[in-house]
Amino acid sequence: MTDTTHNDDIDTTALFAEIEKEKLGDYETCSASETFDAAFQCYTLGAQAINYYRYGSKKDCAGKWEDFKFCLKTKTKSSELADAMLRERKANKEAARMRGRNSEEVWEAR
């Protein structure tokens, strides 16, 4: 009795998909839907109230819209270029955040 089925055949489609997934996993990406949601969430009463309590002023949401527009720009670029753009922007935003105000400048420690 001879078995005619071969279990040694490799599913090339699944293998190719796995290789592509590994390659893309190394790149920085952004989600347009998440950045869009963050921009709208910035205008909510809760977010504005928290910012007013912490910093004493209305929250400026222009940066959230800039993040959304920047994310859309990266979608038309190659993975390598988009990765470089996103990493540079992330580093610049972190540096700006470290230079910015914090709540201790508004409130006195008890």
Side-chain angles (χ1 to χ4, degrees):
M1 211 157 142
T2 307
D3 187 284
T4 58
T5 60
H6 298 288
N7 291 334
D8 296 333
D9 293 333
I10 298 174
D11 183 9
T12 56
T13 306
L15 182 62
F16 181 72
E18 187 65 29
I19 291 170
E20 286 297 313
K21 183 178 175 184
E22 287 177 8
K23 286 195 318 190
L24 292 176
D26 295 336
Y27 294 116
E28 189 82 24
T29 61
C30 68
S31 170
S33 62
E34 287 178 10
T35 55
F36 184 76
D37 289 344
F40 266 93
Q41 194 276 334
C42 181
Y43 289 104
T44 63
L45 181 60
Q48 292 293 333
I50 288 170
N51 197 79
Y52 192 79
Y53 176 78
R54 288 183 182 164
Y55 303 106
S57 64
K58 180 179 163 258
K59 188 172 188 174
D60 180 24
C61 298
K64 300 289 184 181
W65 287 112
E66 291 301 318
D67 290 345
F68 174 63
K69 290 189 290 186
F70 183 80
C71 186
L72 290 179
K73 287 179 188 177
T74 64
K75 298 300 181 187
T76 61
K77 310 293 185 210
S78 68
S79 297
E80 294 87 7
L81 182 58
D83 177 62
M85 290 169 64
L86 287 166
R87 288 181 192 275
E88 181 182 353
R89 183 170 175 93
K90 186 176 182 180
N92 291 341
K93 286 182 72 170
E94 182 63 24
R97 187 184 70 79
M98 296 303 283
R99 289 189 308 267
R101 294 178 63 197
N102 62 33
S103 60
E104 292 175 354
E105 293 176 2
V106 176
W107 299 101
E108 293 180 18
R110 292 183 188 190

